[in-house]
Amino acid sequence: MRPVRVPAVASVASAVAALALVSGCGSAGGLESAGEAPSAVEPARLWPDLPPASAAPYDYGEGETARIPGITVPGGDVRRLDPVAVAQAGLKAKTDRDSGLDELPDGTVRQIRACRTAPDDCPVLNPYYFDLTGDGRDELVLGIRMPGRQLAVRAYLADRGGLTRIMSTSDAVISVELAGRDLVLRAPSAISGYEYRTAWSWDARQRAMLATRDEILRAPERRKDADRDRTPSPSGSGSPSADGR
């Protein structure tokens, strides 16, 4: 099926001709036609007779949230929370939708529960604080190490005196970065020289972080100093706390 071309509403040539009649043909400094304007092209729909899908074939856990039990947020300030306590309480959280993607491996769960007695093996990384929602207050971002160099990334919102998890995903990440108010996860691709980049953005209607952009792109050329930490700078609003690991 070829693209459908739609004629322009009025061609430039016709407009120029009308102006020439009004101003006089051949007058000095008169308008000259630049040629016929290109036609606009409508998007071409492939297989238009296919019935639309009524449900998503897979549940990726997008938009899934969970109230964290037993956690209160004094003054709505997530910086006053103990990140280890948040991770431990999150093990008992019930998601609003059971995708199963929020679950951590059994070994990681045991390590989180033992963070107080075996801090060297605690998989909870130093927290970061960013205003992801644009409401002027910081949200809490946690990373949890998992086997196979996997990383669980979770974001929490102070909400009605308590804490709500607004994002939970995991991947074998190259890095986690902040771009504007988006969290961007870079992950290796099976194609040599390429990588996946997924941007998670706050959606006010869903009241959750959604994967708004998922791309496969050429990986940046590595330089001699390319091993420097590319995570957000530990200064300003994005600084990690000394309370967690």
Side-chain angles (χ1 to χ4, degrees), residues 8-19 32-38:
V9 175
S11 70
V12 173
S14 299
V16 171
L19 287 172
E32 296 183 3
S33 172
E36 190 170 335

Side-chain angles (χ1 to χ4, degrees), residues 65-69 90-97 165:
T65 61
R67 191 73 168 174
I68 307 301
L91 298 175
K92 303 175 183 178
K94 301 296 184 183
T95 58
D96 61 347
R97 201 160 41 80
R165 188 167 61 223

Side-chain angles (χ1 to χ4, degrees), residues 132-216:
L132 301 175
T133 65
D135 65 355
R137 297 189 307 174
D138 284 342
E139 277 68 56
L140 166 65
V141 180
L142 284 185
I144 300 174
R145 293 190 308 262
M146 299 192 301
R149 296 188 177 180
Q150 297 271 325
L151 182 72
V153 179
R154 298 180 170 187
Y156 302 84
L157 168 74
D159 181 33
R160 295 167 292 163
L163 195 67
T164 297
R165 188 167 61 223
I166 57 174
M167 171 187 169
S168 181
T169 189
S170 61
D171 210 335
V173 301
I174 298 171
S175 69
V176 182
E177 303 169 358
L178 183 74
R181 293 202 307 266
D182 293 350
L183 288 177
V184 180
L185 275 65
R186 296 173 52 219
S189 165
I191 305 175
S192 178
Y194 288 78
E195 66 184 30
Y196 291 106
R197 295 183 198 173
T198 305
W200 290 78
S201 312
W202 169 252
D203 184 275
R205 180 178 179 181
Q206 188 65 31
R207 293 194 61 78
M209 298 287 285
L210 301 182
T212 53
R213 189 171 67 254
D214 198 3
E215 309 171 288
I216 181 168

Side-chain angles (χ1 to χ4, degrees), residues 83-130:
V84 170
V86 170
Q88 291 176 338
L91 298 175
K92 303 175 183 178
K94 301 296 184 183
T95 58
D96 61 347
R97 201 160 41 80
D98 187 17
S99 70
L101 297 180
D102 190 61
E103 297 179 359
L104 295 170
D106 292 342
T108 303
V109 170
R110 287 193 296 270
Q111 287 179 314
I112 292 174
R113 288 173 175 163
C115 277
R116 304 300 185 197
T117 57
D120 290 343
D121 294 327
C122 183
V124 181
L125 303 179
N126 285 332
Y128 282 89
Y129 305 95
F130 304 111

